[in-house]
Amino acid sequence: MMFSRNTLLTAAAAMVYGASSGSAFVPSNSVGNAISRSATAVVQQQSQSRQYSSTQLQMAGPAQVDLTGKVAFIAGVADSSGYGWAIARSLASAGATIIVGTWPPVLKIFQMGLKKGSFEEDSTLPDGSKMVIDKVYPLDAVFDSADDVPEEIANNKRYAGLDGFTIEEVAKAVEADYGKIDILVHSLANGPEVTKPLLETSRKGYLAASSASAYSAVSLLQKFGPIMNDGGNMLSLTYIASEAVIPGYGGGMSSAKAQLESDTRVLAYEAGRKWGVRVNTISAGPLKSRAASAIGKEPGQKTFIEYAIDYSKANAPLAQDLYNDDVGNSAMYLCSGLARTVTGVTLYVDNGLHAMGMALDSESMSDRNA
C-alpha cells in the first residue's frame, strides 16, 4: 500500500502527539484506521473529557472483579485441598453463586464434612465471610447419559439412592434449578494405571484416563453449553506432562492432558461461534492435594507429588511455594470480564517451571551451582 507524503506526515504528527501526552494509552475512536486520522482530530479528541467508545481501553482505576449474579458450576470438588475448591472460593469472593458436582462414591463423605463444618477454615473469604456452596450435585463424568451407565454401577452400593448423576442429567438439573449458568469449571482427572509407565499401560487403562480426564471436558461443554450465558467461560486444569516427560505420571495421563489442551483450542473456536462462550485451561504447578498424594505412594519413599514439588522449588524461575489460591485467583481472572477477549489459551501458573529447559539441580550442573 502507498501513502502520500502529507498522509505520512500527518500520521507522524499524530503519533508524536500521542507519545508526548500524559497517558500511556491514547484514546481512539477509530483504532483500526489510526493512520488515516489527522493530528487535528487527535487534538480535538484529547480535549474531550474522557469520552470513550467501545474500542477504547478504560484506565479509570484498579481492576475490580464483580461476579455478583453469576452462577459457577465446578465439576470435581470433593474436599478443600485441591484446585477445584480454590477456584470455587476465588469465584465466591467475587460474588458468584457456587454449585459443584461431586463423584458419587465420595459424595456422602463430602456432604457430611460440609454439614459438620470440617471445611470451615478453608471456606474463609478475604472479607471474613464464609464461602457458601449453594448446591452439591452427584456427578460421574465418565457417563454422558443414563443409557451409558452399566448395570454394575447402577447396582453399586456407593451409587445407591442416587439418580441423575450423568453429565446430561446434571446439566438438566442445573437448568431446572438455576436456568442459565455463566462459568463452567472442569476439575476432573483420573487414570487407573497412572503409576504404570506408558509402555506397560493397557488399552483399557489408557482409554479410561482419556475418558475421565479429557473427553469429560468435551461432554461437559456439549451438555452445559446450551445453558450458558453469552460471554461465559469454561475452564479446565492441565499439567506440564502434556508437553514434557514427567516420569511417574503415567497410565496415559500425559496423553490425556495433551488431548485436553488440544481440545481447549478447538472448543474455543466451536463454542465461541456457537454460544459466545470462551474456553481456556490452566497448566497448574504441583500441589499436594489429597488426590495427587495418592499417586505412587510407596512405603519409605516420597510420593510422586512430593518429588514434583521439590523439583519445582529447585528449578523453577520463582523459587517459592505454589498455593491453590494462586490457581484460584488466575481462574477468577479468566472467568471474569477482564478476560473477555481471552480464549483458547493454556495459562501456566507454575512459578515459570514450564519455561525451563535444563534442571538446575542436576549433578552435571553441580560445579556451576557451587
Side-chain angles (χ1 to χ4, degrees):
M1 178 180 289
M2 300 295 292
F3 299 99
S4 68
R5 181 173 181 272
N6 287 338
T7 301
L8 291 173
L9 289 174
T10 299
M15 287 189 286
V16 169
Y17 180 84
S20 62
S21 65
S23 172
F25 301 96
V26 181
S28 168
N29 287 323
S30 182
V31 172
N33 301 296
I35 199 164
S36 67
R37 299 170 65 225
S38 68
T40 302
V42 176
V43 173
Q44 289 175 343
Q45 181 183 318
Q46 288 292 306
S47 66
Q48 296 174 352
S49 58
R50 294 184 67 83
Q51 295 178 355
Y52 296 96
S53 76
S54 61
T55 61
Q56 294 162 345
L57 180 61
Q58 301 188 35
M59 303 295 288
Q64 298 292 326
V65 175
D66 185 2
L67 298 178
T68 304
K70 306 293 185 182
V71 178
F73 179 81
I74 297 97
V77 177
D79 58 36
S80 63
S81 67
Y83 286 135
W85 179 277
I87 292 172
R89 186 168 56 190
S90 289
L91 297 177
S93 72
T97 297
I98 304 300
I99 55 179
V100 305
T102 301
W103 191 43
V106 296
L107 176 64
K108 290 182 179 179
I109 296 174
F110 180 55
Q111 289 177 320
M112 188 178 301
L114 289 172
K115 187 175 181 179
K116 291 171 57 179
S118 302
F119 311 121
E120 192 77 6
E121 184 177 348
D122 294 330
S123 299
T124 304
L125 302 178
D127 64 359
S129 63
K130 301 293 183 179
M131 174 178 71
V132 175
I133 296 180
D134 214 50
K135 189 164 185 177
V136 180
Y137 296 84
L139 172 67
D140 194 327
V142 301
F143 304 119
D144 301 321
S145 66
D147 293 337
D148 298 326
V149 181
E151 188 175 341
E152 60 266 27
I153 292 294
N155 296 328
N156 189 301
K157 64 180 181 180
R158 296 191 297 176
Y159 289 75
L162 297 178
D163 290 318
F165 53 79
T166 68
I167 295 176
E168 182 179 67
E169 291 171 305
V170 173
K172 288 180 179 179
V174 169
E175 182 181 20
D177 293 338
Y178 296 92
K180 295 275 191 176
I181 68 169
D182 305 275
I183 297 166
L184 176 64
V185 179
H186 176 274
S187 180
L188 300 164
N190 183 49
E193 298 181 15
V194 66
T195 59
K196 290 184 179 181
L198 191 56
L199 280 174
E200 298 175 13
T201 299
S202 69
R203 180 185 295 270
K204 183 179 180 180
Y206 185 97
L207 294 178
S210 176
S211 174
S213 309
Y215 185 77
S216 56
V218 177
S219 184
L220 272 175
L221 190 53
Q222 284 179 355
K223 305 302 189 294
F224 278 85
I227 66 167
M228 293 186 72
N229 285 313
D230 181 71
N233 183 73
M234 178 187 180
L235 181 69
S236 64
L237 293 168
T238 185
Y239 183 46
I240 192 64
S242 64
E243 58 186 270
V245 179
I246 306 293
Y249 193 73
M253 280 303 301
S254 58
S255 308
K257 291 301 186 182
Q259 182 180 340
L260 179 65
E261 292 180 21
S262 178
D263 290 345
T264 293
R265 294 184 287 272
V266 176
L267 292 173
Y269 162 68
E270 294 182 0
R273 292 303 181 97
K274 191 169 186 176
W275 300 305
V277 169
R278 297 178 296 109
V279 183
N280 296 293
T281 188
I282 288 178
S283 184
L287 177 75
K288 195 175 182 181
S289 65
R290 178 186 59 81
S293 297
I295 301 175
K297 191 172 184 180
E298 298 292 337
Q301 294 183 0
K302 291 191 295 186
T303 62
F304 164 80
I305 199 65
E306 288 171 333
Y307 281 115
I309 291 172
D310 289 346
Y311 180 87
S312 180
K313 286 183 178 180
N315 296 287
L318 298 176
Q320 60 185 7
D321 289 327
L322 176 72
Y323 299 102
N324 58 6
D325 283 341
D326 293 316
V327 170
N329 291 333
S330 297
M332 179 170 60
Y333 157 71
L334 286 174
C335 293
S336 75
L338 294 177
R340 59 178 293 273
T341 62
V342 180
T343 192
V345 164
T346 297
L347 178 65
Y348 297 95
V349 185
D350 62 355
N351 282 319
L353 184 63
H354 70 279
M356 299 300 294
M358 182 178 289
L360 299 178
D361 62 348
S362 170
E363 290 183 6
S364 61
M365 297 281 287
S366 59
D367 59 337
R368 183 184 177 93
N369 297 330

